[in-house]
């Protein structure tokens, strides 16, 4: 989608066009989930946060005054959703404990194959290391790894000059490499997947 | 051992990994590598990290494609292997909570406009009801937890000013009841849904099922 298409769609969504709002969400939800991953509190569930973000976008789209600032506006909504989730973290931990009892060790979808488990561990370890970086570096790096998101789009979303983003990304890559070389990044538990998803 | 901080090298490696390196950047990388051949190792590592992170994010953010502003989300209850009475008890809890908040008793399976039942998630699971259902349990329900809201639908407001959003609020409560009954197919001679009293074994009742 070109910037002009994006602007037009945004304007129509603000005016109450439901179809336009769906298109906007579809085009932006992937990187918004990466923003949530960068900011979500421990124990939070990405799917729940995304659902709440979608709801908040829907509720507040009419408050968006400048369609040119769609990306930073969406990012703010996502971050606020994550912060709000953090406030009720204790409650969520309780819910998570309940959910964990649902895991079925005999579930064939659970990966028991050693090679696959090792590969998954590697990916999860890299993501966990990225999530340990300082927020200034963490978010650009995670966003950069979302397929199709350009450095310019990241700069626009974070409301920063592109040169600043480039510098932060360059440092973030080094910091990530150093963190992984330290081998101090534990493998996080496998993310939960809702049945049927 | 990590290489000493080198902003230029970081930037060049980043551009190479991001496929935005200009010919002059590659020249600079070549020049740097003559002094420090380990640079290629660090670049390979950066490429590897980038690939791993991209794949990890692909997997973690794939869920986004199932979520939309106008889509209802229907997650399974996720009881896994547990079924039968455990599932039935969950239905009973859901239904009982509905009764507590809506007044007149309607048995699971009976139709009443605006009443949702989860039975389609657990086909064949028998329903359980309490004989004290609509009016009271023993003591007040104990709130256990709340779950995030679920967006069921949205529509433009009739007057054109904003949207109307239908949200399901989810909460889990515990309440003690004196007796449980299992719903049976069919009706009794008075046309009421048939029920049978439920007797759990004295110990480890849930384990059995």
């Amino acid at each position: 989608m070109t910037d002009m298409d994006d602007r037009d769609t945004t304007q129509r969504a603000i005016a109450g066009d439901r179809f336009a709002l769906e298109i906007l969400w579809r085009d932006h939800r992937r990187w918004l989930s990466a923003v949530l991953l960068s900011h979500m509190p421990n124990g939070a569930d990405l799917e729940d946060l995304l659902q709440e973000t979608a709801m908040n976008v829907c509720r507040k789209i009419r408050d968006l005054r400048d369609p040119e600032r769609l990306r930073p506006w969406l990012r703010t909504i996502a971050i606020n959703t994550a912060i709000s989730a953090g406030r009720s973290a204790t409650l969520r931990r309780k819910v998570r404990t309940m959910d964990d009892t649902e895991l079925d060790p005999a579930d064939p979808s659970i990966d028991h194959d050693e090679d696959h488990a090792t590969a998954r561990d590697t990916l999860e370890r890299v993501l966990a290391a990225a999530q340990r970086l300082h927020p200034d570096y963490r978010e650009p790096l995670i966003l950069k790894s979302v397929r199709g998101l350009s450095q310019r789009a990241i700069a626009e979303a974070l409301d920063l000059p592109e040169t600043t983003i480039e510098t932060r990304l360059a440092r973030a890559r080094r910091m990530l490499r150093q963190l992984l070389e330290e081998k101090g990044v534990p493998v996080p538990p496998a993310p939960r997947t809702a049945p049927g998803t | 051992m990590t290489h000493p901080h080198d902003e230029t090298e970081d930037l060049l490696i980043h551009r190479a990994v991001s496929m935005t390196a200009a010919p002059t950047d590659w020249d600079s990388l070549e020049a740097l590598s003559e002094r420090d051949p380990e640079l290629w190792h660090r670049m390979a590592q950066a490429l590897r990290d980038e690939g791993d992170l991209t794949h990890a994010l692909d997997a973690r953010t794939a869920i986004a494609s199932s979520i939309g502003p106008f889509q209802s989300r229907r997650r399974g209850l996720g009881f896994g292997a547990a079924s039968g009475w455990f599932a039935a008890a969950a239905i009973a809890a859901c239904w009982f909570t509905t009764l507590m908040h809506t007044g007149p008793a309607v048995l699971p399976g009976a139709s009443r406009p605006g009443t949702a039942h989860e039975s389609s998630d657990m086909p064949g699971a028998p329903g359980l009801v309490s004989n004290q259902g609509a009016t009271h349990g023993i003591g007040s329900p104990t709130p256990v937890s709340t779950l995030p809201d679920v967006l069921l639908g949205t529509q433009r407001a009739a007057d054109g000013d904003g949207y109307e959003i239908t949200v399901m609020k989810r909460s889990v409560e515990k309440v003690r009841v004196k007796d449980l009954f299992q719903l049976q197919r069919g009706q009794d001679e008075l046309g009421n849904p048939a029920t049978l009293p439920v007797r759990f074994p004295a110990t480890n009742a849930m384990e059995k099922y």
Side-chain angles (χ1 to χ4, degrees), chain A residues 13 16 18 22 25 29-30 33 46-48 59 91 95 102 142 145 147 151 166 171 173-174 181, chain B residues 5 7 10 14-15 50 57-58 60-61 64 67 69-70 73 75 78 145-147 154 163 165:
Chain A
R18 175 185 163 134
E22 287 211 48
W25 174 256
R29 62 190 171 190
R30 200 77 185 225
S33 60
L46 181 62
E47 187 180 358
D48 289 337
R59 270 186 195 140
L91 202 53
V95 172
E102 298 166 3
I142 289 180
S145 301
R147 287 182 204 273
Q151 203 160 276
E166 186 180 44
R171 287 180 189 162
R173 289 192 196 285
R174 173 173 43 82
E181 280 172 2
Chain B
H5 179 107
E7 291 276 349
D10 288 347
H14 163 65
R15 286 176 182 167
E50 166 82 358
L57 277 166
D58 276 351
R60 290 292 290 274
T61 61
I67 292 173
F70 300 106
R73 184 182 55 165
R75 294 175 72 166
S145 155
T146 57
L147 297 164
T154 59
Y163 299 90
I165 297 178

Side-chain angles (χ1 to χ4, degrees), chain B residues 83-121:
Chain B
S83 58
W85 290 109
F86 184 52
I91 293 178
C94 292
W95 182 71
F96 184 72
T97 305
T98 306
L99 289 178
M100 294 288 287
H101 292 99
T102 56
V106 177
L107 295 170
S111 66
R112 186 179 69 179
T115 304
H117 299 297
E118 289 287 353
S119 54
S120 59
D121 279 3

Side-chain angles (χ1 to χ4, degrees), chain A residues 37 40-44 96 100 103 110-111 116-132 142 176 179-180 183-192, chain B residues 52-53 56-57 59-60:
Chain A
L37 271 177
M40 69 187 207
N42 288 336
R96 176 139 193 184
D100 286 347
L103 288 175
I110 295 175
D111 198 351
H116 288 169
T118 307
R120 184 192 65 79
D121 285 355
T122 304
L123 300 185
E124 288 297 326
R125 187 180 282 117
V126 174
L127 182 56
Q131 287 177 312
R132 279 178 54 184
I142 289 180
L176 180 69
L179 256 182
L180 290 166
K183 300 188 192 302
V185 183
V187 181
R192 291 175 308 141
Chain B
D52 287 348
L53 197 50
L57 277 166
R60 290 292 290 274

Side-chain angles (χ1 to χ4, degrees), chain A residues 150-197:
Chain A
S150 69
Q151 203 160 276
R152 185 170 149 227
I154 297 169
E156 198 184 314
L158 270 62
D159 216 4
L160 289 168
E162 201 173 333
T163 49
T164 306
I165 295 299
E166 186 180 44
T167 307
R168 287 188 185 182
L169 281 168
R171 287 180 189 162
R173 289 192 196 285
R174 173 173 43 82
M175 289 190 279
L176 180 69
R177 195 173 67 238
Q178 289 172 343
L179 256 182
L180 290 166
E181 280 172 2
E182 288 169 12
K183 300 188 192 302
V185 183
V187 181
R192 291 175 308 141
T193 307
T197 56

Side-chain angles (χ1 to χ4, degrees), chain A residues 39-85:
Chain A
H39 292 273
M40 69 187 207
N42 288 336
D45 182 88
L46 181 62
E47 187 180 358
D48 289 337
L49 290 181
L50 264 171
Q51 184 77 49
E52 284 186 49
T53 304
M55 208 184 318
N56 290 334
V57 167
C58 203
R59 270 186 195 140
K60 297 175 179 172
I61 186 70
R62 287 169 65 90
D63 299 340
L64 175 60
R65 298 285 167 229
D66 181 3
E68 299 275 345
R69 300 197 38 87
L70 174 69
R71 279 204 175 94
W73 182 82
L74 287 171
R75 175 176 172 262
T76 304
I77 297 263
I79 292 175
N80 286 344
T81 305
I83 290 171
S84 163

